[in-house]
Amino acid sequence: EDEQIVAEIMGRRFFPDLIAYKTWEGFHFAGHEIRITEATDFYGAVVWPSALVLCYFLETNSKQCNLVDKNVIEIGAGTGLVSIVASLLGAFVTATDLPELLGNLQYNILQNTKQKCKHQPCVKELSWGIDLEKNFPRSSCHFDYIMAADVVYHHPFLDELLLTFDHLCKNDTVILWAMKFRLENENQFVDRFQTLFDLEMVSNFPSLNIALYKAMRKGRMKA
């Protein structure tokens, strides 16, 4: 079953027939052809398989996870694929990442959502753990969903990542988080994450070493 679903997920990706002046990859999600321009000089500007897993979940669980008119923030949005799919499914999306990635992120989102979405998504800088209250004040920022794909890997900002999840998450916020397990860092982060949040594994794909989690603030997990 794992291999069958993984084949379906990876089958959503396609490549241009002809060489174009800009390198792009194509994806089929939410009834649209999505073209993503990548920048190979940044880790965050490449589409990783965890993003495809999360997009597939959003599309195939649109009744259980109805995004229409929901307020969604993606952290570590990278190329913007997850944000684009969430937008096409009717959400109002804020796609965030580091300042050096925002140009490519904005380009991809505009190219794939303009005049196609109920709510035009916005792009905003978010450096984990920095100026969170200033840029995302708790009093006025309420997100129904926080989405993240492959944000935990070998980098020194795991404390700041956990702080960011904690700041953005209200009692009724749902976190949807796809993660590829590579090193011990991932397991340690999951343990620390569970001190603040109830964590439920929604899907597991051993052939990809990717798990998809749903989380809510401690004591608030709904059946």
Side-chain angles (χ1 to χ4, degrees):
E1 184 181 359
D2 168 49
E3 291 181 0
Q4 184 178 347
I5 297 176
V6 166
E8 163 67 14
I9 293 171
M10 295 305 159
R12 299 299 185 93
R13 170 185 269 157
F14 68 93
F15 299 93
D17 294 327
L18 302 172
I19 296 175
Y21 75 99
K22 279 193 173 183
T23 303
W24 59 271
E25 284 186 70
F27 303 88
H28 291 291
F29 285 109
H32 288 79
E33 179 182 292
I34 301 167
R35 294 190 178 193
I36 296 292
T37 299
E38 298 184 336
T40 54
D41 48 343
F42 296 113
Y43 283 122
V46 176
V47 178
W48 300 103
S50 294
L52 274 67
V53 167
L54 183 48
C55 289
Y56 181 82
F57 173 82
L58 295 177
E59 181 187 77
T60 56
N61 292 271
S62 57
K63 290 184 179 178
Q64 169 198 341
C65 180
N66 185 356
L67 296 183
V68 177
D69 297 330
K70 296 297 194 298
N71 201 10
V72 171
I73 186 168
E74 185 187 3
I75 61 174
T79 60
L81 180 61
V82 172
S83 288
I84 291 163
V85 172
S87 298
L88 292 170
L89 291 170
F92 180 82
V93 176
T94 302
T96 71
D97 216 313
L98 296 169
E100 60 265 27
L101 296 171
L102 296 187
N104 190 58
L105 175 59
Q106 178 72 68
Y107 174 82
N108 282 327
I109 285 181
L110 191 62
Q111 291 292 106
N112 289 285
T113 63
K114 191 175 182 181
Q115 298 181 332
K116 297 177 183 178
C117 297
K118 186 174 183 181
H119 308 288
Q120 187 60 37
C122 68
V123 172
K124 192 169 181 178
E125 177 185 341
L126 173 53
S127 299
W128 298 337
I130 297 175
D131 292 333
L132 293 175
E133 181 58 28
K134 176 184 174 184
N135 296 323
F136 300 90
R138 288 180 186 267
S139 59
S140 58
C141 286
H142 184 286
F143 297 106
D144 299 295
Y145 290 92
I146 299 169
M147 297 186 184
D150 225 358
V151 292
V152 181
Y153 47 91
H154 187 61
H155 61 70
F157 304 111
L158 296 181
D159 290 342
E160 291 82 357
L161 175 59
L162 189 59
L163 186 66
T164 301
F165 273 123
D166 185 44
H167 179 84
L168 296 173
C169 191
K170 296 286 200 294
N171 283 339
D172 58 350
T173 302
V174 175
I175 298 171
L176 293 174
W177 166 30
M179 180 168 69
K180 182 176 178 69
F181 288 83
R182 300 180 181 87
L183 302 165
E184 186 59 27
N185 274 22
E186 284 86 354
N187 293 315
Q188 291 176 359
F189 185 82
V190 170
D191 291 341
R192 294 179 56 204
F193 186 87
Q194 289 185 96
T195 64
L196 297 176
F197 303 99
D198 289 316
L199 193 63
E200 171 192 348
M201 184 183 289
V202 177
S203 303
N204 186 31
F205 301 102
S207 62
L208 296 174
N209 278 343
I210 291 174
L212 175 63
Y213 295 105
K214 172 185 174 184
M216 292 184 76
R217 193 171 284 287
K218 273 282 185 187
R220 298 290 302 183
M221 180 63 80
K222 303 293 193 298

